PDB file of all heavy atoms in Angstrom:
ATOM      1  N   PRO A  13     103.126  14.953  40.363  1.00 96.00           N
ATOM      2  CA  PRO A  13     102.901  13.534  40.118  1.00 96.00           C
ATOM      3  C   PRO A  13     104.140  12.669  40.332  1.00 96.00           C
ATOM      4  O   PRO A  13     104.029  11.449  40.419  1.00 96.00           O
ATOM      5  CB  PRO A  13     102.474  13.487  38.647  1.00 96.00           C
ATOM      6  CG  PRO A  13     103.101  14.692  38.038  1.00 96.00           C
ATOM      7  CD  PRO A  13     103.137  15.733  39.129  1.00 96.00           C
ATOM      8  N   GLY A  14     105.307  13.297  40.406  1.00 94.00           N
ATOM      9  CA  GLY A  14     106.540  12.523  40.533  1.00 94.00           C
ATOM     10  C   GLY A  14     106.837  11.793  39.238  1.00 94.00           C
ATOM     11  O   GLY A  14     106.114  11.917  38.252  1.00 94.00           O
ATOM     12  N   PRO A  15     107.917  11.016  39.233  1.00 96.00           N
ATOM     13  CA  PRO A  15     108.271  10.276  38.012  1.00 96.00           C
ATOM     14  C   PRO A  15     107.228   9.212  37.691  1.00 96.00           C
ATOM     15  O   PRO A  15     106.728   8.533  38.589  1.00 96.00           O
ATOM     16  CB  PRO A  15     109.604   9.632  38.345  1.00 96.00           C
ATOM     17  CG  PRO A  15     110.048  10.183  39.641  1.00 96.00           C
ATOM     18  CD  PRO A  15     108.880  10.827  40.301  1.00 96.00           C
ATOM     19  N   MET A  16     106.901   9.089  36.430  1.00 97.00           N
ATOM     20  CA  MET A  16     105.944   8.075  35.971  1.00 97.00           C
ATOM     21  C   MET A  16     106.579   7.345  34.797  1.00 97.00           C
ATOM     22  O   MET A  16     106.560   7.847  33.674  1.00 97.00           O
ATOM     23  CB  MET A  16     104.618   8.722  35.598  1.00 97.00           C
ATOM     24  CG  MET A  16     103.894   9.300  36.800  1.00 97.00           C
ATOM     25  SD  MET A  16     102.280   9.961  36.399  1.00 97.00           S
ATOM     26  CE  MET A  16     102.762  11.437  35.538  1.00 97.00           C
ATOM     27  N   VAL A  17     107.146   6.177  35.079  1.00 98.00           N
ATOM     28  CA  VAL A  17     107.913   5.437  34.082  1.00 98.00           C
ATOM     29  C   VAL A  17     107.489   3.972  34.091  1.00 98.00           C
ATOM     30  O   VAL A  17     107.305   3.374  35.153  1.00 98.00           O
ATOM     31  CB  VAL A  17     109.437   5.531  34.365  1.00 98.00           C
ATOM     32  CG1 VAL A  17     110.240   4.760  33.329  1.00 98.00           C
ATOM     33  CG2 VAL A  17     109.884   6.982  34.428  1.00 98.00           C
ATOM     34  N   ASP A  18     107.350   3.409  32.888  1.00 97.00           N
ATOM     35  CA  ASP A  18     107.081   1.995  32.704  1.00 97.00           C
ATOM     36  C   ASP A  18     107.968   1.518  31.556  1.00 97.00           C
ATOM     37  O   ASP A  18     107.630   1.703  30.384  1.00 97.00           O
ATOM     38  CB  ASP A  18     105.610   1.766  32.376  1.00 97.00           C
ATOM     39  CG  ASP A  18     105.284   0.320  32.008  1.00 97.00           C
ATOM     40  OD1 ASP A  18     106.144  -0.556  32.185  1.00 97.00           O
ATOM     41  OD2 ASP A  18     104.165   0.071  31.525  1.00 97.00           O
ATOM     42  N   ASP A  19     109.125   0.995  31.899  1.00 96.00           N
ATOM     43  CA  ASP A  19     110.066   0.458  30.919  1.00 96.00           C
ATOM     44  C   ASP A  19     110.457   1.541  29.906  1.00 96.00           C
ATOM     45  O   ASP A  19     111.147   2.489  30.273  1.00 96.00           O
ATOM     46  CB  ASP A  19     109.481  -0.784  30.249  1.00 96.00           C
ATOM     47  CG  ASP A  19     110.502  -1.558  29.437  1.00 96.00           C
ATOM     48  OD1 ASP A  19     111.688  -1.564  29.819  1.00 96.00           O
ATOM     49  OD2 ASP A  19     110.123  -2.153  28.412  1.00 96.00           O
ATOM     50  N   ASP A  20     110.006   1.438  28.659  1.00 97.00           N
ATOM     51  CA  ASP A  20     110.400   2.385  27.609  1.00 97.00           C
ATOM     52  C   ASP A  20     109.461   3.572  27.493  1.00 97.00           C
ATOM     53  O   ASP A  20     109.588   4.391  26.583  1.00 97.00           O
ATOM     54  CB  ASP A  20     110.494   1.669  26.256  1.00 97.00           C
ATOM     55  CG  ASP A  20     109.161   1.085  25.806  1.00 97.00           C
ATOM     56  OD1 ASP A  20     108.294   0.813  26.667  1.00 97.00           O
ATOM     57  OD2 ASP A  20     108.982   0.883  24.589  1.00 97.00           O
ATOM     58  N   LEU A  21     108.512   3.713  28.410  1.00 98.00           N
ATOM     59  CA  LEU A  21     107.503   4.781  28.395  1.00 98.00           C
ATOM     60  C   LEU A  21     107.650   5.657  29.625  1.00 98.00           C
ATOM     61  O   LEU A  21     107.751   5.156  30.745  1.00 98.00           O
ATOM     62  CB  LEU A  21     106.100   4.162  28.379  1.00 98.00           C
ATOM     63  CG  LEU A  21     104.921   5.098  28.652  1.00 98.00           C
ATOM     64  CD1 LEU A  21     104.754   6.106  27.523  1.00 98.00           C
ATOM     65  CD2 LEU A  21     103.649   4.287  28.847  1.00 98.00           C
ATOM     66  N   GLU A  22     107.633   6.968  29.394  1.00 98.00           N
ATOM     67  CA  GLU A  22     107.639   7.922  30.500  1.00 98.00           C
ATOM     68  C   GLU A  22     106.585   8.983  30.225  1.00 98.00           C
ATOM     69  O   GLU A  22     106.454   9.461  29.099  1.00 98.00           O
ATOM     70  CB  GLU A  22     109.008   8.591  30.627  1.00 98.00           C
ATOM     71  CG  GLU A  22     109.102   9.575  31.769  1.00 98.00           C
ATOM     72  CD  GLU A  22     110.503  10.135  31.949  1.00 98.00           C
ATOM     73  OE1 GLU A  22     111.314  10.072  30.993  1.00 98.00           O
ATOM     74  OE2 GLU A  22     110.777  10.639  33.049  1.00 98.00           O
ATOM     75  N   LEU A  23     105.799   9.320  31.254  1.00 98.00           N
ATOM     76  CA  LEU A  23     104.848  10.418  31.134  1.00 98.00           C
ATOM     77  C   LEU A  23     105.510  11.682  31.653  1.00 98.00           C
ATOM     78  O   LEU A  23     106.015  11.711  32.782  1.00 98.00           O
ATOM     79  CB  LEU A  23     103.572  10.139  31.929  1.00 98.00           C
ATOM     80  CG  LEU A  23     102.741   8.934  31.487  1.00 98.00           C
ATOM     81  CD1 LEU A  23     101.446   8.873  32.287  1.00 98.00           C
ATOM     82  CD2 LEU A  23     102.448   8.967  29.995  1.00 98.00           C
ATOM     83  N   ILE A  24     105.506  12.720  30.825  1.00 98.00           N
ATOM     84  CA  ILE A  24     106.103  14.000  31.174  1.00 98.00           C
ATOM     85  C   ILE A  24     104.992  15.034  31.280  1.00 98.00           C
ATOM     86  O   ILE A  24     104.244  15.267  30.313  1.00 98.00           O
ATOM     87  CB  ILE A  24     107.126  14.452  30.102  1.00 98.00           C
ATOM     88  CG1 ILE A  24     108.231  13.416  29.931  1.00 98.00           C
ATOM     89  CG2 ILE A  24     107.679  15.830  30.435  1.00 98.00           C
ATOM     90  CD1 ILE A  24     109.121  13.213  31.137  1.00 98.00           C
ATOM     91  N   LEU A  25     104.866  15.658  32.443  1.00 98.00           N
ATOM     92  CA  LEU A  25     103.856  16.701  32.646  1.00 98.00           C
ATOM     93  C   LEU A  25     104.231  17.927  31.823  1.00 98.00           C
ATOM     94  O   LEU A  25     105.335  18.456  31.957  1.00 98.00           O
ATOM     95  CB  LEU A  25     103.771  17.071  34.133  1.00 98.00           C
ATOM     96  CG  LEU A  25     102.741  18.122  34.507  1.00 98.00           C
ATOM     97  CD1 LEU A  25     101.322  17.651  34.216  1.00 98.00           C
ATOM     98  CD2 LEU A  25     102.895  18.482  35.987  1.00 98.00           C
ATOM     99  N   VAL A  26     103.309  18.360  30.948  1.00 97.00           N
ATOM    100  CA  VAL A  26     103.577  19.525  30.103  1.00 97.00           C
ATOM    101  C   VAL A  26     102.664  20.710  30.429  1.00 97.00           C
ATOM    102  O   VAL A  26     102.981  21.839  30.066  1.00 97.00           O
ATOM    103  CB  VAL A  26     103.499  19.184  28.591  1.00 97.00           C
ATOM    104  CG1 VAL A  26     104.621  18.216  28.215  1.00 97.00           C
ATOM    105  CG2 VAL A  26     102.147  18.616  28.204  1.00 97.00           C
ATOM    106  N   ALA A  27     101.543  20.463  31.120  1.00 97.00           N
ATOM    107  CA  ALA A  27     100.655  21.568  31.473  1.00 97.00           C
ATOM    108  C   ALA A  27      99.660  21.124  32.543  1.00 97.00           C
ATOM    109  O   ALA A  27      99.311  19.947  32.631  1.00 97.00           O
ATOM    110  CB  ALA A  27      99.890  22.065  30.247  1.00 97.00           C
ATOM    111  N   CYS A  28      99.242  22.104  33.334  1.00 97.00           N
ATOM    112  CA  CYS A  28      98.144  21.936  34.280  1.00 97.00           C
ATOM    113  C   CYS A  28      97.115  23.007  33.946  1.00 97.00           C
ATOM    114  O   CYS A  28      97.414  24.197  34.036  1.00 97.00           O
ATOM    115  CB  CYS A  28      98.616  22.114  35.719  1.00 97.00           C
ATOM    116  SG  CYS A  28      99.723  20.837  36.315  1.00 97.00           S
ATOM    117  N   GLU A  29      95.944  22.589  33.528  1.00 95.00           N
ATOM    118  CA  GLU A  29      94.871  23.525  33.168  1.00 95.00           C
ATOM    119  C   GLU A  29      93.904  23.630  34.343  1.00 95.00           C
ATOM    120  O   GLU A  29      93.340  22.620  34.758  1.00 95.00           O
ATOM    121  CB  GLU A  29      94.124  23.034  31.931  1.00 95.00           C
ATOM    122  CG  GLU A  29      94.953  23.011  30.673  1.00 95.00           C
ATOM    123  CD  GLU A  29      95.231  24.399  30.116  1.00 95.00           C
ATOM    124  OE1 GLU A  29      94.431  25.321  30.361  1.00 95.00           O
ATOM    125  OE2 GLU A  29      96.255  24.551  29.447  1.00 95.00           O
ATOM    126  N   PRO A  30      93.683  24.840  34.864  1.00 93.00           N
ATOM    127  CA  PRO A  30      92.839  24.976  36.051  1.00 93.00           C
ATOM    128  C   PRO A  30      91.352  24.727  35.813  1.00 93.00           C
ATOM    129  O   PRO A  30      90.606  24.499  36.745  1.00 93.00           O
ATOM    130  CB  PRO A  30      93.086  26.416  36.494  1.00 93.00           C
ATOM    131  CG  PRO A  30      93.525  27.122  35.258  1.00 93.00           C
ATOM    132  CD  PRO A  30      94.241  26.102  34.431  1.00 93.00           C
ATOM    133  N   GLY A  31      90.918  24.756  34.570  1.00 87.00           N
ATOM    134  CA  GLY A  31      89.504  24.572  34.276  1.00 87.00           C
ATOM    135  C   GLY A  31      88.781  25.896  34.190  1.00 87.00           C
ATOM    136  O   GLY A  31      89.301  26.942  34.579  1.00 87.00           O
TER     137      GLY A  31
END
Side-chain angles (χ1 to χ4, degrees):
M16 293 184 287
V17 180
D18 173 10
D19 192 32
D20 62 336
L21 168 67
E22 181 175 20
L23 297 185
I24 302 295
L25 181 63
V26 294
C28 292
E29 294 287 334

